[in-house]
Amino acid sequence: MRDFGYLRAPDVETALRAITAEPEARFLGGGTNLVDLMRAGVENPGTLIDITALPLTEIEELPDGGVRVGALVRNSHLAAHPLIRTRYPMLSQAILSGASGQLRTMATVGGNLLQRTRCAYFYDGAARCNKREPGAGCDAIGGLTREHAVLGVGDACIAVHPSDMAVALVALDAVVEARSTRGTRRIPLTDFHLAPGATPHLEHVLAADELITAVELPPSPVAARSRYRKVRDRASYAFALVSVAAAIEVRDGAVSRVRLALGGVATRPWRAYEAERSLLGARPTEAAFREAASAELASAVVTPENAFKVTLAERTIVAVLRDLEEAA
Ligand code: SF4
């Protein structure tokens, strides 16, 4: 690891002034991904701006029934909070399915949204990687791809977005609040992460001098009966091969509301709009669930090693929707 400077910011204004003066610096929250990236030589910030003393640790109910989550709320705290467990159970389940207890206790909500892919070539300085070094090439394409993405892939990068939490947040229409010295802006999470296209090193729309200060969850009655299911190689401390965040409401025999998002299969947290469109107004039958799942996966681009994810994702979508419907 290279030498770096360290600044402990006592308030948001100091943190923003520091990052404006040195855009190559990085904010340090839980550090559960950033420190690994520094050890691997992927990230080499000249300065770490420690933001853990900032007052961004509250979970508050909003007047409209939504919930505001400070960016420095620890993942374990968010998962256990009664407002999250009762109003957005898919979010609580998604967080608890990720990483380990120790990591969840350190990791923050803002940091989770910015965590980077676990593609092995990305961490291997001897491998070619367009995300680490734009224009270098991609050793994953034509290499070992069992864990790689099948949705939202491009010619330059097929890396999977690693977050579980972000998949639930995308399904819940969460909104990211970001501050800089220029002001505050709100970004729908569905627009926050970028598909790799020709520029896989650009992973989100946040500017270098912006700080995530909160994530807001809009009120969502359908989310009170929601699920997150993660399929992985072992029962804990493993990234998703496929994950599904889902909520469904049926009125007068037809699907009136549905929220569906996928993890483990895409280059960014994947809102399953095609499946949602297919389900709205349909009778909630196994056949309708199957049709919606295959509509979503129709655009998959696979390799021989990761083609199994298409069937696995379709079956997991159907299973989660069936479970929700049977529990209604
Ligand atoms: Fe790099 Fe993306 Fe290729 Fe992995 S898939 S080696 S992250 S460019």
PDB file of all heavy atoms in Angstrom, residues 117-151:
ATOM      1  N   THR A 117     -16.741  -3.785  -8.145  1.00  0.00           N
ATOM      2  CA  THR A 117     -16.905  -5.192  -8.501  1.00  0.00           C
ATOM      3  C   THR A 117     -15.855  -6.081  -7.848  1.00  0.00           C
ATOM      4  O   THR A 117     -14.739  -5.638  -7.556  1.00  0.00           O
ATOM      5  CB  THR A 117     -16.836  -5.378 -10.027  1.00  0.00           C
ATOM      6  OG1 THR A 117     -17.086  -6.756 -10.338  1.00  0.00           O
ATOM      7  CG2 THR A 117     -15.452  -5.004 -10.572  1.00  0.00           C
ATOM      8  N   ARG A 118     -16.219  -7.347  -7.641  1.00  0.00           N
ATOM      9  CA  ARG A 118     -15.243  -8.316  -7.131  1.00  0.00           C
ATOM     10  C   ARG A 118     -14.671  -9.174  -8.272  1.00  0.00           C
ATOM     11  O   ARG A 118     -14.111 -10.239  -8.018  1.00  0.00           O
ATOM     12  CB  ARG A 118     -15.873  -9.214  -6.066  1.00  0.00           C
ATOM     13  CG  ARG A 118     -16.371  -8.503  -4.802  1.00  0.00           C
ATOM     14  CD  ARG A 118     -15.477  -7.388  -4.343  1.00  0.00           C
ATOM     15  NE  ARG A 118     -15.726  -6.977  -2.964  1.00  0.00           N
ATOM     16  CZ  ARG A 118     -16.548  -6.013  -2.570  1.00  0.00           C
ATOM     17  NH1 ARG A 118     -17.239  -5.323  -3.478  1.00  0.00           N
ATOM     18  NH2 ARG A 118     -16.686  -5.697  -1.287  1.00  0.00           N
ATOM     19  N   CYS A 119     -14.795  -8.738  -9.528  1.00  0.00           N
ATOM     20  CA  CYS A 119     -14.151  -9.442 -10.648  1.00  0.00           C
ATOM     21  C   CYS A 119     -12.673  -9.667 -10.299  1.00  0.00           C
ATOM     22  O   CYS A 119     -11.940  -8.723  -9.992  1.00  0.00           O
ATOM     23  CB  CYS A 119     -14.264  -8.605 -11.918  1.00  0.00           C
ATOM     24  SG  CYS A 119     -13.283  -9.251 -13.291  1.00  0.00           S
ATOM     25  N   ALA A 120     -12.246 -10.915 -10.353  1.00  0.00           N
ATOM     26  CA  ALA A 120     -10.885 -11.252  -9.911  1.00  0.00           C
ATOM     27  C   ALA A 120      -9.827 -10.549 -10.758  1.00  0.00           C
ATOM     28  O   ALA A 120      -8.755 -10.191 -10.261  1.00  0.00           O
ATOM     29  CB  ALA A 120     -10.687 -12.765  -9.968  1.00  0.00           C
ATOM     30  N   TYR A 121     -10.128 -10.334 -12.032  1.00  0.00           N
ATOM     31  CA  TYR A 121      -9.151  -9.678 -12.919  1.00  0.00           C
ATOM     32  C   TYR A 121      -8.980  -8.207 -12.549  1.00  0.00           C
ATOM     33  O   TYR A 121      -7.932  -7.614 -12.780  1.00  0.00           O
ATOM     34  CB  TYR A 121      -9.597  -9.805 -14.381  1.00  0.00           C
ATOM     35  CG  TYR A 121      -9.724 -11.233 -14.838  1.00  0.00           C
ATOM     36  CD1 TYR A 121     -10.968 -11.858 -14.896  1.00  0.00           C
ATOM     37  CD2 TYR A 121      -8.598 -11.972 -15.203  1.00  0.00           C
ATOM     38  CE1 TYR A 121     -11.089 -13.174 -15.312  1.00  0.00           C
ATOM     39  CE2 TYR A 121      -8.716 -13.283 -15.629  1.00  0.00           C
ATOM     40  CZ  TYR A 121      -9.963 -13.888 -15.679  1.00  0.00           C
ATOM     41  OH  TYR A 121     -10.075 -15.183 -16.084  1.00  0.00           O
ATOM     42  N   PHE A 122     -10.023  -7.611 -12.015  1.00  0.00           N
ATOM     43  CA  PHE A 122      -9.972  -6.209 -11.592  1.00  0.00           C
ATOM     44  C   PHE A 122      -8.953  -6.026 -10.465  1.00  0.00           C
ATOM     45  O   PHE A 122      -8.264  -5.010 -10.383  1.00  0.00           O
ATOM     46  CB  PHE A 122     -11.383  -5.805 -11.138  1.00  0.00           C
ATOM     47  CG  PHE A 122     -11.520  -4.413 -10.597  1.00  0.00           C
ATOM     48  CD1 PHE A 122     -11.261  -3.308 -11.392  1.00  0.00           C
ATOM     49  CD2 PHE A 122     -11.946  -4.201  -9.291  1.00  0.00           C
ATOM     50  CE1 PHE A 122     -11.418  -2.015 -10.892  1.00  0.00           C
ATOM     51  CE2 PHE A 122     -12.099  -2.921  -8.781  1.00  0.00           C
ATOM     52  CZ  PHE A 122     -11.836  -1.825  -9.584  1.00  0.00           C
ATOM     53  N   TYR A 123      -8.847  -7.027  -9.600  1.00  0.00           N
ATOM     54  CA  TYR A 123      -7.931  -6.940  -8.450  1.00  0.00           C
ATOM     55  C   TYR A 123      -6.523  -7.436  -8.780  1.00  0.00           C
ATOM     56  O   TYR A 123      -5.624  -7.309  -7.964  1.00  0.00           O
ATOM     57  CB  TYR A 123      -8.499  -7.753  -7.273  1.00  0.00           C
ATOM     58  CG  TYR A 123      -9.668  -7.082  -6.590  1.00  0.00           C
ATOM     59  CD1 TYR A 123     -10.930  -7.132  -7.142  1.00  0.00           C
ATOM     60  CD2 TYR A 123      -9.494  -6.363  -5.410  1.00  0.00           C
ATOM     61  CE1 TYR A 123     -12.007  -6.498  -6.542  1.00  0.00           C
ATOM     62  CE2 TYR A 123     -10.562  -5.731  -4.792  1.00  0.00           C
ATOM     63  CZ  TYR A 123     -11.810  -5.808  -5.356  1.00  0.00           C
ATOM     64  OH  TYR A 123     -12.874  -5.172  -4.765  1.00  0.00           O
ATOM     65  N   ASP A 124      -6.359  -8.034  -9.966  1.00  0.00           N
ATOM     66  CA  ASP A 124      -5.082  -8.647 -10.336  1.00  0.00           C
ATOM     67  C   ASP A 124      -4.299  -7.673 -11.225  1.00  0.00           C
ATOM     68  O   ASP A 124      -4.631  -7.482 -12.403  1.00  0.00           O
ATOM     69  CB  ASP A 124      -5.362  -9.965 -11.078  1.00  0.00           C
ATOM     70  CG  ASP A 124      -4.093 -10.630 -11.566  1.00  0.00           C
ATOM     71  OD1 ASP A 124      -2.984 -10.073 -11.341  1.00  0.00           O
ATOM     72  OD2 ASP A 124      -4.191 -11.703 -12.177  1.00  0.00           O
ATOM     73  N   GLY A 125      -3.277  -7.078 -10.668  1.00  0.00           N
ATOM     74  CA  GLY A 125      -2.508  -6.073 -11.404  1.00  0.00           C
ATOM     75  C   GLY A 125      -1.851  -6.595 -12.660  1.00  0.00           C
ATOM     76  O   GLY A 125      -1.474  -5.816 -13.541  1.00  0.00           O
ATOM     77  N   ALA A 126      -1.716  -7.924 -12.792  1.00  0.00           N
ATOM     78  CA  ALA A 126      -1.088  -8.501 -13.988  1.00  0.00           C
ATOM     79  C   ALA A 126      -2.101  -8.730 -15.107  1.00  0.00           C
ATOM     80  O   ALA A 126      -1.719  -9.071 -16.229  1.00  0.00           O
ATOM     81  CB  ALA A 126      -0.412  -9.825 -13.629  1.00  0.00           C
ATOM     82  N   ALA A 127      -3.394  -8.565 -14.806  1.00  0.00           N
ATOM     83  CA  ALA A 127      -4.433  -8.825 -15.809  1.00  0.00           C
ATOM     84  C   ALA A 127      -4.815  -7.533 -16.528  1.00  0.00           C
ATOM     85  O   ALA A 127      -4.674  -6.435 -15.983  1.00  0.00           O
ATOM     86  CB  ALA A 127      -5.665  -9.426 -15.135  1.00  0.00           C
ATOM     87  N   ARG A 128      -5.322  -7.699 -17.749  1.00  0.00           N
ATOM     88  CA  ARG A 128      -5.841  -6.531 -18.469  1.00  0.00           C
ATOM     89  C   ARG A 128      -7.256  -6.251 -17.977  1.00  0.00           C
ATOM     90  O   ARG A 128      -8.071  -7.181 -17.867  1.00  0.00           O
ATOM     91  CB  ARG A 128      -5.866  -6.802 -19.969  1.00  0.00           C
ATOM     92  CG  ARG A 128      -4.471  -6.963 -20.596  1.00  0.00           C
ATOM     93  CD  ARG A 128      -4.587  -7.261 -22.068  1.00  0.00           C
ATOM     94  NE  ARG A 128      -5.485  -8.397 -22.296  1.00  0.00           N
ATOM     95  CZ  ARG A 128      -6.259  -8.557 -23.365  1.00  0.00           C
ATOM     96  NH1 ARG A 128      -6.248  -7.655 -24.312  1.00  0.00           N
ATOM     97  NH2 ARG A 128      -7.044  -9.606 -23.482  1.00  0.00           N
ATOM     98  N   CYS A 129      -7.537  -4.988 -17.695  1.00  0.00           N
ATOM     99  CA  CYS A 129      -8.852  -4.641 -17.138  1.00  0.00           C
ATOM    100  C   CYS A 129      -9.207  -3.205 -17.534  1.00  0.00           C
ATOM    101  O   CYS A 129      -8.556  -2.259 -17.102  1.00  0.00           O
ATOM    102  CB  CYS A 129      -8.826  -4.789 -15.616  1.00  0.00           C
ATOM    103  SG  CYS A 129     -10.355  -4.198 -14.842  1.00  0.00           S
ATOM    104  N   ASN A 130     -10.269  -3.082 -18.345  1.00  0.00           N
ATOM    105  CA  ASN A 130     -10.708  -1.747 -18.787  1.00  0.00           C
ATOM    106  C   ASN A 130     -11.242  -0.892 -17.650  1.00  0.00           C
ATOM    107  O   ASN A 130     -11.224   0.335 -17.731  1.00  0.00           O
ATOM    108  CB  ASN A 130     -11.812  -1.893 -19.841  1.00  0.00           C
ATOM    109  CG  ASN A 130     -11.274  -2.368 -21.174  1.00  0.00           C
ATOM    110  OD1 ASN A 130     -10.193  -1.947 -21.597  1.00  0.00           O
ATOM    111  ND2 ASN A 130     -12.011  -3.254 -21.836  1.00  0.00           N
ATOM    112  N   LYS A 131     -11.744  -1.538 -16.621  1.00  0.00           N
ATOM    113  CA  LYS A 131     -12.287  -0.774 -15.496  1.00  0.00           C
ATOM    114  C   LYS A 131     -11.149  -0.147 -14.685  1.00  0.00           C
ATOM    115  O   LYS A 131     -11.241   0.985 -14.234  1.00  0.00           O
ATOM    116  CB  LYS A 131     -13.138  -1.700 -14.612  1.00  0.00           C
ATOM    117  CG  LYS A 131     -13.974  -0.970 -13.577  1.00  0.00           C
ATOM    118  CD  LYS A 131     -14.731  -1.932 -12.695  1.00  0.00           C
ATOM    119  CE  LYS A 131     -15.996  -2.463 -13.314  1.00  0.00           C
ATOM    120  NZ  LYS A 131     -17.023  -1.416 -13.530  1.00  0.00           N
ATOM    121  N   ARG A 132     -10.072  -0.910 -14.509  1.00  0.00           N
ATOM    122  CA  ARG A 132      -8.927  -0.405 -13.741  1.00  0.00           C
ATOM    123  C   ARG A 132      -8.086   0.542 -14.592  1.00  0.00           C
ATOM    124  O   ARG A 132      -7.591   1.552 -14.111  1.00  0.00           O
ATOM    125  CB  ARG A 132      -8.096  -1.609 -13.250  1.00  0.00           C
ATOM    126  CG  ARG A 132      -6.915  -1.273 -12.400  1.00  0.00           C
ATOM    127  CD  ARG A 132      -6.350  -2.468 -11.645  1.00  0.00           C
ATOM    128  NE  ARG A 132      -6.546  -3.773 -12.217  1.00  0.00           N
ATOM    129  CZ  ARG A 132      -5.818  -4.294 -13.212  1.00  0.00           C
ATOM    130  NH1 ARG A 132      -4.833  -3.614 -13.751  1.00  0.00           N
ATOM    131  NH2 ARG A 132      -6.072  -5.508 -13.661  1.00  0.00           N
ATOM    132  N   GLU A 133      -7.944   0.200 -15.882  1.00  0.00           N
ATOM    133  CA  GLU A 133      -7.091   1.002 -16.770  1.00  0.00           C
ATOM    134  C   GLU A 133      -7.812   1.141 -18.116  1.00  0.00           C
ATOM    135  O   GLU A 133      -7.735   0.229 -18.955  1.00  0.00           O
ATOM    136  CB  GLU A 133      -5.739   0.277 -16.944  1.00  0.00           C
ATOM    137  CG  GLU A 133      -4.702   1.100 -17.666  1.00  0.00           C
ATOM    138  CD  GLU A 133      -3.431   0.278 -17.918  1.00  0.00           C
ATOM    139  OE1 GLU A 133      -3.220  -0.739 -17.226  1.00  0.00           O
ATOM    140  OE2 GLU A 133      -2.687   0.655 -18.827  1.00  0.00           O
ATOM    141  N   PRO A 134      -8.534   2.244 -18.323  1.00  0.00           N
ATOM    142  CA  PRO A 134      -9.341   2.397 -19.540  1.00  0.00           C
ATOM    143  C   PRO A 134      -8.531   2.137 -20.811  1.00  0.00           C
ATOM    144  O   PRO A 134      -7.418   2.644 -20.969  1.00  0.00           O
ATOM    145  CB  PRO A 134      -9.800   3.868 -19.464  1.00  0.00           C
ATOM    146  CG  PRO A 134      -9.802   4.179 -18.003  1.00  0.00           C
ATOM    147  CD  PRO A 134      -8.660   3.400 -17.412  1.00  0.00           C
ATOM    148  N   GLY A 135      -9.098   1.276 -21.683  1.00  0.00           N
ATOM    149  CA  GLY A 135      -8.450   0.970 -22.954  1.00  0.00           C
ATOM    150  C   GLY A 135      -7.476  -0.189 -22.900  1.00  0.00           C
ATOM    151  O   GLY A 135      -6.936  -0.595 -23.935  1.00  0.00           O
ATOM    152  N   ALA A 136      -7.282  -0.774 -21.718  1.00  0.00           N
ATOM    153  CA  ALA A 136      -6.284  -1.839 -21.577  1.00  0.00           C
ATOM    154  C   ALA A 136      -6.755  -3.173 -22.155  1.00  0.00           C
ATOM    155  O   ALA A 136      -5.950  -4.027 -22.506  1.00  0.00           O
ATOM    156  CB  ALA A 136      -5.926  -2.024 -20.095  1.00  0.00           C
ATOM    157  N   GLY A 137      -8.091  -3.366 -22.247  1.00  0.00           N
ATOM    158  CA  GLY A 137      -8.632  -4.670 -22.624  1.00  0.00           C
ATOM    159  C   GLY A 137      -9.262  -5.341 -21.418  1.00  0.00           C
ATOM    160  O   GLY A 137      -9.228  -4.796 -20.305  1.00  0.00           O
ATOM    161  N   CYS A 138      -9.845  -6.513 -21.650  1.00  0.00           N
ATOM    162  CA  CYS A 138     -10.552  -7.211 -20.574  1.00  0.00           C
ATOM    163  C   CYS A 138     -10.205  -8.689 -20.610  1.00  0.00           C
ATOM    164  O   CYS A 138     -10.581  -9.392 -21.546  1.00  0.00           O
ATOM    165  CB  CYS A 138     -12.060  -7.027 -20.740  1.00  0.00           C
ATOM    166  SG  CYS A 138     -13.042  -8.091 -19.660  1.00  0.00           S
ATOM    167  N   ASP A 139      -9.480  -9.154 -19.603  1.00  0.00           N
ATOM    168  CA  ASP A 139      -9.098 -10.565 -19.575  1.00  0.00           C
ATOM    169  C   ASP A 139     -10.242 -11.481 -19.128  1.00  0.00           C
ATOM    170  O   ASP A 139     -10.146 -12.701 -19.258  1.00  0.00           O
ATOM    171  CB  ASP A 139      -7.882 -10.757 -18.656  1.00  0.00           C
ATOM    172  CG  ASP A 139      -6.573 -10.514 -19.411  1.00  0.00           C
ATOM    173  OD1 ASP A 139      -6.624 -10.428 -20.661  1.00  0.00           O
ATOM    174  OD2 ASP A 139      -5.519 -10.396 -18.761  1.00  0.00           O
ATOM    175  N   ALA A 140     -11.315 -10.903 -18.590  1.00  0.00           N
ATOM    176  CA  ALA A 140     -12.461 -11.750 -18.233  1.00  0.00           C
ATOM    177  C   ALA A 140     -13.145 -12.270 -19.496  1.00  0.00           C
ATOM    178  O   ALA A 140     -13.591 -13.423 -19.532  1.00  0.00           O
ATOM    179  CB  ALA A 140     -13.440 -10.966 -17.377  1.00  0.00           C
ATOM    180  N   ILE A 141     -13.238 -11.407 -20.519  1.00  0.00           N
ATOM    181  CA  ILE A 141     -13.880 -11.835 -21.765  1.00  0.00           C
ATOM    182  C   ILE A 141     -12.959 -12.852 -22.435  1.00  0.00           C
ATOM    183  O   ILE A 141     -11.831 -12.544 -22.808  1.00  0.00           O
ATOM    184  CB  ILE A 141     -14.155 -10.618 -22.673  1.00  0.00           C
ATOM    185  CG1 ILE A 141     -15.157  -9.684 -21.978  1.00  0.00           C
ATOM    186  CG2 ILE A 141     -14.690 -11.073 -24.031  1.00  0.00           C
ATOM    187  CD1 ILE A 141     -15.394  -8.363 -22.677  1.00  0.00           C
ATOM    188  N   GLY A 142     -13.452 -14.080 -22.531  1.00  0.00           N
ATOM    189  CA  GLY A 142     -12.611 -15.184 -22.996  1.00  0.00           C
ATOM    190  C   GLY A 142     -11.880 -15.875 -21.861  1.00  0.00           C
ATOM    191  O   GLY A 142     -11.150 -16.841 -22.086  1.00  0.00           O
ATOM    192  N   GLY A 143     -12.054 -15.389 -20.640  1.00  0.00           N
ATOM    193  CA  GLY A 143     -11.404 -15.997 -19.474  1.00  0.00           C
ATOM    194  C   GLY A 143     -12.411 -16.740 -18.622  1.00  0.00           C
ATOM    195  O   GLY A 143     -13.350 -17.346 -19.141  1.00  0.00           O
ATOM    196  N   LEU A 144     -12.217 -16.684 -17.301  1.00  0.00           N
ATOM    197  CA  LEU A 144     -13.116 -17.381 -16.379  1.00  0.00           C
ATOM    198  C   LEU A 144     -14.308 -16.478 -16.078  1.00  0.00           C
ATOM    199  O   LEU A 144     -14.143 -15.403 -15.501  1.00  0.00           O
ATOM    200  CB  LEU A 144     -12.368 -17.737 -15.090  1.00  0.00           C
ATOM    201  CG  LEU A 144     -11.154 -18.652 -15.279  1.00  0.00           C
ATOM    202  CD1 LEU A 144     -10.354 -18.765 -13.984  1.00  0.00           C
ATOM    203  CD2 LEU A 144     -11.598 -20.031 -15.767  1.00  0.00           C
ATOM    204  N   THR A 145     -15.510 -16.915 -16.441  1.00  0.00           N
ATOM    205  CA  THR A 145     -16.658 -15.999 -16.405  1.00  0.00           C
ATOM    206  C   THR A 145     -17.855 -16.531 -15.623  1.00  0.00           C
ATOM    207  O   THR A 145     -18.945 -15.991 -15.731  1.00  0.00           O
ATOM    208  CB  THR A 145     -17.126 -15.692 -17.841  1.00  0.00           C
ATOM    209  OG1 THR A 145     -17.389 -16.938 -18.501  1.00  0.00           O
ATOM    210  CG2 THR A 145     -16.079 -14.915 -18.608  1.00  0.00           C
ATOM    211  N   ARG A 146     -17.649 -17.580 -14.833  1.00  0.00           N
ATOM    212  CA  ARG A 146     -18.814 -18.184 -14.164  1.00  0.00           C
ATOM    213  C   ARG A 146     -19.597 -17.164 -13.341  1.00  0.00           C
ATOM    214  O   ARG A 146     -20.820 -17.196 -13.283  1.00  0.00           O
ATOM    215  CB  ARG A 146     -18.351 -19.331 -13.258  1.00  0.00           C
ATOM    216  CG  ARG A 146     -19.488 -20.018 -12.507  1.00  0.00           C
ATOM    217  CD  ARG A 146     -18.996 -21.222 -11.732  1.00  0.00           C
ATOM    218  NE  ARG A 146     -20.073 -21.838 -10.989  1.00  0.00           N
ATOM    219  CZ  ARG A 146     -20.390 -21.506  -9.736  1.00  0.00           C
ATOM    220  NH1 ARG A 146     -19.705 -20.570  -9.103  1.00  0.00           N
ATOM    221  NH2 ARG A 146     -21.400 -22.097  -9.122  1.00  0.00           N
ATOM    222  N   GLU A 147     -18.904 -16.246 -12.672  1.00  0.00           N
ATOM    223  CA  GLU A 147     -19.584 -15.281 -11.802  1.00  0.00           C
ATOM    224  C   GLU A 147     -19.970 -13.990 -12.548  1.00  0.00           C
ATOM    225  O   GLU A 147     -20.533 -13.087 -11.944  1.00  0.00           O
ATOM    226  CB  GLU A 147     -18.692 -14.907 -10.607  1.00  0.00           C
ATOM    227  CG  GLU A 147     -18.744 -15.908  -9.460  1.00  0.00           C
ATOM    228  CD  GLU A 147     -17.763 -17.042  -9.646  1.00  0.00           C
ATOM    229  OE1 GLU A 147     -16.724 -16.817 -10.289  1.00  0.00           O
ATOM    230  OE2 GLU A 147     -18.042 -18.165  -9.183  1.00  0.00           O
ATOM    231  N   HIS A 148     -19.671 -13.887 -13.804  1.00  0.00           N
ATOM    232  CA  HIS A 148     -19.848 -12.597 -14.481  1.00  0.00           C
ATOM    233  C   HIS A 148     -21.284 -12.368 -14.955  1.00  0.00           C
ATOM    234  O   HIS A 148     -22.137 -13.238 -14.874  1.00  0.00           O
ATOM    235  CB  HIS A 148     -18.840 -12.475 -15.629  1.00  0.00           C
ATOM    236  CG  HIS A 148     -17.456 -12.163 -15.140  1.00  0.00           C
ATOM    237  ND1 HIS A 148     -16.692 -13.107 -14.493  1.00  0.00           N
ATOM    238  CD2 HIS A 148     -16.723 -11.025 -15.159  1.00  0.00           C
ATOM    239  CE1 HIS A 148     -15.528 -12.551 -14.148  1.00  0.00           C
ATOM    240  NE2 HIS A 148     -15.525 -11.294 -14.540  1.00  0.00           N
ATOM    241  N   ALA A 149     -21.505 -11.137 -15.445  1.00  0.00           N
ATOM    242  CA  ALA A 149     -22.862 -10.673 -15.738  1.00  0.00           C
ATOM    243  C   ALA A 149     -23.388 -11.211 -17.063  1.00  0.00           C
ATOM    244  O   ALA A 149     -22.619 -11.499 -17.989  1.00  0.00           O
ATOM    245  CB  ALA A 149     -22.866  -9.142 -15.771  1.00  0.00           C
ATOM    246  N   VAL A 150     -24.714 -11.294 -17.136  1.00  0.00           N
ATOM    247  CA  VAL A 150     -25.384 -11.676 -18.385  1.00  0.00           C
ATOM    248  C   VAL A 150     -26.332 -10.564 -18.857  1.00  0.00           C
ATOM    249  O   VAL A 150     -26.839 -10.619 -19.966  1.00  0.00           O
ATOM    250  CB  VAL A 150     -26.159 -13.006 -18.233  1.00  0.00           C
ATOM    251  CG1 VAL A 150     -25.211 -14.146 -17.888  1.00  0.00           C
ATOM    252  CG2 VAL A 150     -27.269 -12.913 -17.189  1.00  0.00           C
ATOM    253  N   LEU A 151     -26.591  -9.574 -18.006  1.00  0.00           N
ATOM    254  CA  LEU A 151     -27.471  -8.457 -18.368  1.00  0.00           C
ATOM    255  C   LEU A 151     -26.693  -7.143 -18.265  1.00  0.00           C
ATOM    256  O   LEU A 151     -25.888  -6.965 -17.341  1.00  0.00           O
ATOM    257  CB  LEU A 151     -28.682  -8.395 -17.431  1.00  0.00           C
ATOM    258  CG  LEU A 151     -29.687  -9.532 -17.543  1.00  0.00           C
ATOM    259  CD1 LEU A 151     -30.721  -9.439 -16.417  1.00  0.00           C
ATOM    260  CD2 LEU A 151     -30.390  -9.535 -18.898  1.00  0.00           C
TER     261      LEU A 151
END
